[in-house]
């Protein structure tokens, strides 16, 4: 999938061009010592991390080439190359594709093409790692692809383009192009679609791809991370025999100019887009500054800007009444130049005085630079960042991509060296000036005279008044005092990493209305975690009680905003999560228990009721068409997922006395379960006593609900087809098939069947028939209803075509299953069995595991052992019979949801 960094929406984008002063600082981009970095003779830079307890291995790759390396003749070529690599055959021309191979070996993958880089992430069963490495080596050494594969992936990219044109971030990027340097490759269309490839024949595109792989997918432009349970010697052997043998000839490095032309500043760019309230953004390009230095400078300034409290940079700017929010971060990473981005939400006063707002923000940034040069604070920043760069307990894709980004930078510091402090230099500071700004405003009412090149976004651009042009009319910046330093930044520390054989939770308190569990941590003075589940049966019995229950839930969220509680709803009531130290948790738990026992005034009830009805009536916004079908599936399968019209009509008839009756009866039947992670037993007992619900006085009236308001559970018919218009410009199909797996034997067959159906469904509808881009199969659990959903989304195929193809696929699948090679079937069983092995969990993963067991009142260990034992006994014939019992059994519920764009009726 093509990934573009988000363009922040804040109505002015100020570009301040900064020149680099060689009075600078050493790069702090050092990898943790456990990561073994190596430069190979062919130019490859690799990193290896041994993690002996891992059940899977990770191979992550970064290519130092992206959409800026497209050719003028073939826009979208880098994106197409990413797609093509995932389609290569692992063993031979007739073997499975790389996507299939990853799926069949219990893994997952991710791919991203950005301006400067292309990244791949592969996670796979440990036993399949050597095959994966050799397959990648073979394809990257001699890329080979067919015209049908190229045509199929161009169609997939065109479907992605249909989604992109509705995304605000892409539309804003398109409108930004006229403000960039005239011949910068940023101005090209980088995503790709049918039109961008139409001027070239398939043979010509194949030739372009061959050149692109040869020039850019070369060892010297590549970084690789390997994470596996093997020791470092074995890991180096793997890397030497695969990526270490890749060629490095014909390297092509295309110089890319700065994104913005300093001589054209200051500029004003107005973009007319409906973004609600007006937004601003100030970009500060760091032209001429080496990227590693620029990135560290931005991180250091961000470190200062995030300081909170009285006297901080952030709080002083908000006190000017010119803006209500401001953030500092890295801007658009396009080419060899970085930029600072200041994202601003102006107040009404700020919108009426934009020039003064700009002058004030730029002047404050200059002052911030002057204060941020103190060596002790820079050292503190380095220590702060070193903690963030430590190896996490659970190594995932994000960590892998962070390592790849650091591999691409020179490792200029060695362990034990004293870090240099940062000095911006006078020349650096002199470039932060209002005359070096691009001012971008985004709002739905701005005048526009032109349309952007790809997405036709209305915009206007003009030269802004310089400081000299303003003359006597200059709006002086509001003077600010010295800023308080960022030495008291609020840090979200990770939970304590428990020992491998940590003690399971134990009960510390049990009363008729509250059961409290706790687990101790390994370290002292760490942040604690509290999970609290409130079962409130009186709020789930009927449509009337559910609507009043939602109103109560909304009121609780509003009233507890100062506690930092994260609320959520579940099928039996509500739950929440809290973090903090003992003192803050005591106070927050006491406050929440008081809120639970407190009623509402007439005005409070009316306000929450009106807001809730308005929210229900507001149509949801869906990024993808199939998400609307998933919501509809919940509504139909769980008949307690009440319709909007029914909820609105019911709540409109309720008054405060009805809520009071429900509130009183709910408090009498409420049952709470609390889990405190990282606390001692004494601390857990102390926190338990802080949570004491006070019942309201007065007798609760008996709540009588009309049975007609409730609907029976489950779909009304066993085979329904529902159609609905979507808030999206794509067609979608969702085929839900109920598949009960209450027994370990059924669960084993379900787990075995899911990846096979998922892979073949994707291959059939996307790769073979080219009917849809978004194709997947997902497990579905909605309370007691379990099954799987086949999902397809397309901008070209109708819902009826998708449904016909899905039905044909389900008829053909048993025949394909019978032809599946026995070796692949057994390998899949081994991979699934490995996933069921008990894994040593740590930190939050262990806490979530314990909480899931407490909440579900079931031990997953015994269940997984039973499923694993059943898995080893299944053969293809049994799996085929299970498939027939699910999809061929008329008594099993199925539901087909079709959707199409609302504008097409």
């Amino acid at each position: 999938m093509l990934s573009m960094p988000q363009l922040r929406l804040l109505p002015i984008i100020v570009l301040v061009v900064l020149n680099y002063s060689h009075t600078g600082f050493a790069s702090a981009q050092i990898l943790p010592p456990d990561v073994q970095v190596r430069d190979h003779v062919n130019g490859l830079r690799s990193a290896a991390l041994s993690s002996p307890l891992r059940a899977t291995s990770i191979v992550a790759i970064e290519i130092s080439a992206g959409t800026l390396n497209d050719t003028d003749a073939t826009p979208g070529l880098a994106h197409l190359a990413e797609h093509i690599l995932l389609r290569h055959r692992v063993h031979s021309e007739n073997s499975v594709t790389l996507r299939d191979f990853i799926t069949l070996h219990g893994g997952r993958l991710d791919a991203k093409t950005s301006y400067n880089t292309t990244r791949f992430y592969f996670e796979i069963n440990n036993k399949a790692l050597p095959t994966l490495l050799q397959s990648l080596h073979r394809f990257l050494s001699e890329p080979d692809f067919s015209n049908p594969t190229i045509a199929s992936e161009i169609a997939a990219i065109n479907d992605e383009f249909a989604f992109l044109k509705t995304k605000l971030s892409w539309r804003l990027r398109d409108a930004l192009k006229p403000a960039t340097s005239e011949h910068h490759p940023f101005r090209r269309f980088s995503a790709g679609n049918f039109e961008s490839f139409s001027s070239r024949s398939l043979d010509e595109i194949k030739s372009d791809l061959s050149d692109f792989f040869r020039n850019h997918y070369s060892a010297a432009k590549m970084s690789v991370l390997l994470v596996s349970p093997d020791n470092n010697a074995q890991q180096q052997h793997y890397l030497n025999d695969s990526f270490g043998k890749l060629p490095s000839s014909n390297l092509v490095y295309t110089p890319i100019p700065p994104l913005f032309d300093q001589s054209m500043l200051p500029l004003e760019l107005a973009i007319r887009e409906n973004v609600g309230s007006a937004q601003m953004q100030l970009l500060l390009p760091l032209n001429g500054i080496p990227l590693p230095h620029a990135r560290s400078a931005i991180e250091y300034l961000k470190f200062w800007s995030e300081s909170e409290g009285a006297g901080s940079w952030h709080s002083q700017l908000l006190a000017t009444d010119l803006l209500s929010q401001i953030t500092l971060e890295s801007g658009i990473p396009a080419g060899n130049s970085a930029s600072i981005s200041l994202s601003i939400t102006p107040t009404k006063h700020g919108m009426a005085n934009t020039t003064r707002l700009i002058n004030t923000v730029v002047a404050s940034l200059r002052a911030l630079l002057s204060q941020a040069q103190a060596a002790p604070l820079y050292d503190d920043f380095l220590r702060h960042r070193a903690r963030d760069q430590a190896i996490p307990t659970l190594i995932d894709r994000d960590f892998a991509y962070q390592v790849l980004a650091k591999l691409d930078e020179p490792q200029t510091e060695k362990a034990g060296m004293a870090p240099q402090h940062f000095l911006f230099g006078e020349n650096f500071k002199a470039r932060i000036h209002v005359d070096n700004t691009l001012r971008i405003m985004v709002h739905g009412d701005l005048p526009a005279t032109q349309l952007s090149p790809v997405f036709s976004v209305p915009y206007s651009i003009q030269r802004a008044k310089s400081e000299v042009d303003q003359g006597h009319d200059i709006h002086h910046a509001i003077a600010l005092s010295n800023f308080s330093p960022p030495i008291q930044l609020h840090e979200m520390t990770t939970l304590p990493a428990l020992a491998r054989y940590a003690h399971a939770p134990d009960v510390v308190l049990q009363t008729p209305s509250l059961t409290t569990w706790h687990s101790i941590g390994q370290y002292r003075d760490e942040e604690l975690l509290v999970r609290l589940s409130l079962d409130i049966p009186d709020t789930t019995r009927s449509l009337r009680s559910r609507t009043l229950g939602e109103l109560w839930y909304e009121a609780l969220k509003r009233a507890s905003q100062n506690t930092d509680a994260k609320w959520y709803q579940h099928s039996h009531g509500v739950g929440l999560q809290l973090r903090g130290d003992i003192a803050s948790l005591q106070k927050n738990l006491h406050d929440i228990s008081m809120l639970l026992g407190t009623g509402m005034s007439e005005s409070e009830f009316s306000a929450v009721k009106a807001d809730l009805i308005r929210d229900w009536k507001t149509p949801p916004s869906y990024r993808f068409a199939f998400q609307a079908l998933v919501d509809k599936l919940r509504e139909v399968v769980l008949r307690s997922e009440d319709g909007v019209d029914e909820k609105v009509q019911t709540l409109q008839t309720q008054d405060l006395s009805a809520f009071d009756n429900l509130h009183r009866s709910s408090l009498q039947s409420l049952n709470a379960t609390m889990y405190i992670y990282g606390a001692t037993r004494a601390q857990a007992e102390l926190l338990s006593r802080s949570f004491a619900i006070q019942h309201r006085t007065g007798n609760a009236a008996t709540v009588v609900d009309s049975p007609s308001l409730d609907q029976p559970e489950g779909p009304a018919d066993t085979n329904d087809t529902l159609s609905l218009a979507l808030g999206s410009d794509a067609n979608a199909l969702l085929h839900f098939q109920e598949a009960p797996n209450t027994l370990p034997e059924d669960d084993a067959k379900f787990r075995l069947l899911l990846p096979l159906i998922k892979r073949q469904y994707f291959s059939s509808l996307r790769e073979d028939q080219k009917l849809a881009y978004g194709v997947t199969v997902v497990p579905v659990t909605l309370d007691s209803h379990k099954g799987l959903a086949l999902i397809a989304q397309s901008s070209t195929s109708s819902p009826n075509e998708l449904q016909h193809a899905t039905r044909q696929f389900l008829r053909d699948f048993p025949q394909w299953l019978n032809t599946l090679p026995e070796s692949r079937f057994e390998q899949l069983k081994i991979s699934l069995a490995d996933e069921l092995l008990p894994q040593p969990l740590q930190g939050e993963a262990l806490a979530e595991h314990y909480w899931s067991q407490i909440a579900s009142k079931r031990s997953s260990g015994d269940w997984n052992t039973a499923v694993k034992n059943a898995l080893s006994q299944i053969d293809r014939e049994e799996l085929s019979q299970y498939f027939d019992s699910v999809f061929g059994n008329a008594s099993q519920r199925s539901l087909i949801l079709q959707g199409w764009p609302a504008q097409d009726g």
Side-chain angles (χ1 to χ4, degrees):
M1 178 181 290
L2 194 67
S3 173
M4 291 292 182
Q6 294 289 319
L7 177 63
R8 287 280 186 162
L9 307 180
L10 297 175
I12 298 180
I13 295 185
V14 176
L15 294 173
V16 183
V17 181
L18 308 175
N19 287 334
Y20 170 66
S21 167
H22 287 283
T23 304
F25 57 96
S27 170
Q29 298 290 346
I30 301 177
L31 290 165
D34 290 341
V35 178
Q36 303 296 314
V37 178
R38 180 183 175 191
D39 291 315
H40 297 251
V41 293
N42 62 352
L44 171 78
R45 171 167 278 191
S46 70
L49 174 60
S50 178
S51 182
L53 299 178
R54 286 191 66 87
T56 59
S57 297
I58 294 172
V59 178
I61 308 168
E62 178 175 286
I63 311 296
S64 297
T67 59
L68 295 184
N69 301 100
D70 286 347
T71 63
D72 291 330
T74 320
L77 190 62
H79 189 194
L80 180 60
E82 171 218 305
H83 276 240
I84 291 295
L85 183 140
L86 301 179
R87 286 291 303 277
H88 83 263
R89 301 287 174 176
V90 173
H91 296 289
S92 62
E93 183 178 349
N94 296 321
S95 67
V96 296
T97 65
L98 181 60
R99 285 182 182 274
D100 292 340
F101 183 76
I102 295 292
T103 300
L104 291 171
H105 289 80
R108 58 194 182 99
L109 59 83
D110 180 70
K112 297 178 182 292
T113 302
S114 61
Y115 290 121
N116 305 315
T117 62
T118 305
R119 288 173 173 172
F120 300 93
Y121 174 88
F122 305 103
E123 186 171 348
I124 198 167
N125 184 282
N126 291 326
K127 297 176 183 178
L129 174 62
T131 304
L132 171 64
L133 292 172
Q134 288 306 313
S135 172
L136 290 169
H137 167 256
R138 184 169 55 254
F139 179 79
L140 293 172
S141 298
E142 299 181 9
D144 184 30
F145 24 81
S146 65
N147 285 356
T149 299
I150 294 173
S152 174
E153 294 311 306
I154 288 176
I157 288 174
N158 186 72
D159 272 341
E160 284 188 18
F161 170 72
F163 302 141
L164 295 179
K165 63 186 180 183
T166 64
K167 295 181 65 175
L168 182 61
S169 59
W170 278 78
R171 293 175 61 79
L172 294 178
R173 285 297 169 93
D174 198 41
L176 182 63
K177 290 178 180 179
T180 60
S181 300
E182 185 175 358
H183 300 294
H184 198 283
F186 177 84
R187 290 197 172 202
R188 286 196 298 249
F189 173 57
S190 57
N193 60 6
F194 281 145
E195 184 178 351
S196 71
F197 294 111
S198 62
S199 63
R200 310 282 285 173
S201 67
L202 286 177
D203 286 335
E204 288 174 324
I205 295 175
K206 182 175 181 178
S207 177
D208 294 339
L209 278 170
S210 297
D211 292 340
F212 192 88
F213 272 98
R214 181 172 61 254
N215 293 332
H216 300 296
Y217 279 60
S218 172
K221 299 186 72 174
M222 187 180 299
S223 301
V224 176
L225 168 67
L226 172 62
V227 182
S228 72
D230 306 287
N231 59 41
N232 189 250
Q234 181 61 50
Q235 289 179 324
Q236 294 303 324
H237 173 73
Y238 281 148
L239 291 169
N240 287 337
D241 279 1
S242 53
F243 296 99
K245 294 182 178 180
L246 294 178
S248 282
S249 58
N250 301 314
L251 295 184
V252 175
Y253 288 94
T254 305
I256 298 175
L259 184 60
F260 299 98
D261 184 352
Q262 177 183 341
S263 66
M264 299 301 295
L265 302 176
L267 281 177
E268 290 181 350
L269 174 64
I271 304 175
R272 191 169 70 207
E273 275 286 321
N274 185 15
V275 294
S277 59
Q279 299 289 305
M280 284 186 170
Q281 190 169 29
L282 315 179
L283 293 176
L284 301 90
L286 308 178
N287 294 4
I289 301 177
L291 277 178
H293 297 274
R295 289 168 179 162
S296 289
I298 294 171
E299 285 189 43
Y300 186 37
L301 288 173
K302 182 176 175 65
F303 175 69
W304 268 83
S305 71
E306 290 177 341
S307 178
E308 299 176 351
S312 67
W313 178 75
H314 184 267
S315 64
Q316 287 196 49
L317 281 174
L318 265 59
T320 64
D321 194 35
L322 293 171
L323 64 159
S324 61
Q325 189 55 261
I326 182 168
T327 58
L328 187 155
E329 58 195 351
S330 181
I332 303 171
N336 298 319
S337 58
S339 61
I340 298 173
S341 169
L342 290 163
S343 301
I344 303 169
T345 301
T347 62
K348 184 177 181 180
H349 178 60
M351 284 299 298
N353 298 273
T354 55
T355 303
R356 190 170 199 182
L357 172 57
I358 295 169
N359 291 344
T360 299
V361 170
V362 173
S364 75
L365 186 61
R366 288 173 59 86
L368 190 67
L369 293 179
S370 298
Q371 284 190 240
Q373 297 196 48
L377 288 181
Y378 185 68
D379 294 344
D380 186 66
F381 158 67
L382 293 181
R383 289 190 294 270
H384 179 271
R385 186 164 62 173
R387 291 196 298 269
D388 292 341
Q389 294 174 350
I391 297 174
T393 302
L394 299 176
I395 299 173
D396 58 7
R397 180 196 63 185
D398 292 340
F399 173 78
Y401 285 167
Q402 290 172 14
V403 172
L404 291 175
K406 294 170 189 173
L407 282 178
D408 202 29
E409 299 177 356
Q411 306 290 297
T412 55
E413 291 184 349
K414 297 184 182 297
M417 291 181 60
Q420 279 183 271
H421 71 275
F422 183 83
L423 293 176
F424 290 95
E426 292 302 318
N427 192 35
F428 189 100
K429 291 188 290 183
R431 305 307 300 170
I432 301 180
H433 195 276
V434 292
D435 286 350
N436 289 325
T437 61
L438 167 65
R439 309 166 187 187
I440 300 178
M441 305 188 69
V442 185
H443 195 254
D445 297 329
L446 295 176
T449 58
Q450 296 172 275
L451 298 176
S452 65
V454 179
F455 299 129
S456 299
V457 180
Y459 75 93
S460 61
I461 187 169
Q462 62 181 5
R463 193 69 181 258
K465 280 187 178 182
S466 66
E467 192 172 51
V468 174
D469 294 334
Q470 294 179 36
H472 296 293
D473 296 330
I474 186 168
H475 298 258
H476 294 290
I478 297 177
L480 305 178
S481 60
N482 287 339
F483 307 119
S484 58
I487 56 176
Q488 295 180 341
L489 277 177
H490 176 67
E491 298 179 15
M492 292 297 292
T493 57
T494 58
L495 293 167
L498 299 188
R500 180 177 180 182
Y501 300 104
H503 295 291
D506 63 336
V507 177
V508 296
L509 177 69
Q510 191 159 21
T511 69
S513 61
L514 174 64
T515 302
T516 301
W517 300 71
H518 93 107
S519 294
I520 60 173
Q522 187 177 15
Y523 306 111
R524 291 184 177 181
D525 302 323
E526 293 284 348
E527 190 176 50
L528 308 180
L529 170 69
V530 172
R531 296 293 298 266
L532 179 64
S533 176
L534 306 173
D535 287 352
I536 316 175
D538 280 8
T539 62
T540 61
R541 298 186 192 282
S542 67
L543 176 60
R544 175 176 175 273
S545 61
R546 287 191 293 271
T547 55
L548 288 173
E550 281 199 57
L551 185 143
W552 188 16
Y553 168 64
E554 183 64 27
L556 287 172
K557 285 197 300 182
R558 296 185 183 192
S560 62
Q561 287 180 351
N562 63 330
T563 66
D564 295 324
K566 295 182 179 179
W567 291 86
Y568 61 93
Q569 286 183 282
H570 55 71
S571 58
H572 304 293
V574 297
L576 61 91
Q577 175 178 296
L578 289 167
R579 298 175 186 270
D581 56 24
I582 289 294
S584 65
L585 289 176
Q586 271 189 285
K587 182 180 184 305
N588 289 339
L589 285 171
H590 174 266
D591 291 347
I592 289 171
S593 64
M594 294 299 293
L595 288 173
L596 282 168
T598 303
M600 283 191 283
S601 66
E602 187 71 51
S603 60
E604 290 171 337
F605 176 81
S606 299
V608 177
K609 175 180 172 180
D611 290 345
L612 198 57
I613 290 175
R614 185 189 63 247
D615 292 343
W616 285 344
K617 289 183 175 181
T618 303
S621 176
Y622 296 106
R623 180 181 177 188
F624 298 113
F626 71 82
Q627 291 174 323
L629 299 185
V630 173
D631 276 358
K632 188 65 177 178
L633 177 67
R634 289 181 55 85
E635 180 182 330
V636 175
V637 173
L638 292 181
R639 301 308 290 250
S640 61
E641 293 287 318
D642 309 302
V644 171
D645 293 339
E646 290 81 1
K647 291 201 299 183
V648 170
Q649 183 180 3
T650 301
L651 188 55
Q652 284 175 334
T653 64
Q654 304 305 307
D655 56 18
L656 180 60
S657 63
F659 172 77
D660 283 340
N661 283 332
L662 178 78
H663 188 213
R664 289 190 177 92
S665 65
S666 296
L667 292 177
Q668 293 173 3
S669 62
L670 184 147
N671 187 278
T673 302
M674 185 186 299
Y675 171 45
I676 304 166
Y677 175 65
T680 64
R681 185 181 183 89
Q683 291 172 329
E685 291 174 350
L686 186 65
L687 290 175
S688 294
R689 289 194 291 272
S690 302
F691 184 76
I693 300 175
Q694 301 297 321
H695 291 185
R696 294 180 61 184
T697 59
N699 295 325
T702 303
V703 179
V704 180
D705 291 303
S706 171
S708 61
L709 294 177
D710 279 333
Q711 297 170 307
E713 290 190 358
D717 299 315
T718 56
N719 291 278
D720 286 343
T721 299
L722 302 178
S723 301
L724 62 152
L726 307 174
S728 170
D729 65 347
N731 301 313
L733 173 84
L734 187 152
H735 181 122
F736 169 72
Q737 186 69 47
E738 195 162 40
N741 54 351
T742 54
L743 298 176
E745 295 80 5
D746 290 336
D747 193 17
K749 295 170 187 175
F750 182 86
R751 291 172 183 252
L752 191 55
L753 190 63
L754 182 62
L756 294 173
I757 293 182
K758 182 176 182 178
R759 180 56 238 168
Q760 282 307 109
Y761 189 53
F762 179 91
S763 177
S764 175
L765 267 68
R766 173 172 167 172
E767 296 177 351
D768 298 340
Q769 302 180 65
K770 302 177 180 62
L771 290 175
Y773 167 68
V775 181
T776 190
V777 180
V778 296
V780 174
T781 300
L782 298 173
D783 282 354
S784 61
H785 303 280
K786 301 179 184 296
L788 48 81
L790 292 82
I791 298 172
Q793 179 173 323
S794 174
S795 58
T796 55
S797 302
S798 70
N800 281 333
E801 290 176 309
L802 297 175
Q803 182 177 344
H804 175 77
T806 300
R807 284 175 170 168
Q808 187 61 48
F809 163 78
L810 293 173
R811 285 192 290 267
D812 295 341
F813 182 80
Q815 182 178 354
W816 174 86
L817 184 60
N818 290 332
T819 63
L820 181 69
E822 189 68 28
S823 59
R824 286 174 58 186
F825 184 75
E826 291 300 319
Q827 181 59 56
L828 179 59
K829 288 169 58 177
I830 293 173
S831 299
L832 290 174
D834 287 345
E835 292 179 10
L836 292 168
L837 290 173
Q839 298 297 322
L841 299 174
Q842 295 180 332
E844 293 196 32
L846 184 60
E848 288 302 311
H849 171 72
Y850 285 156
W851 173 245
S852 66
Q853 290 194 14
I854 292 170
S856 65
K857 300 179 176 64
R858 187 183 80 176
S859 171
S860 62
D862 295 340
W863 178 266
N864 287 351
T865 300
V867 173
K868 183 174 179 292
N869 293 336
L871 189 65
S872 64
Q873 306 299 320
I874 300 173
D875 57 28
R876 283 183 301 172
E877 183 178 352
E878 285 182 275
L879 190 61
S880 182
Q881 292 173 354
Y882 176 74
F883 176 86
D884 185 64
S885 70
V886 172
F887 288 94
N889 187 348
S891 64
Q892 294 289 1
R893 295 190 181 100
S894 66
L895 180 65
I896 297 170
L897 301 176
Q898 295 182 342
W900 61 86
Q903 60 267 29
D904 293 338

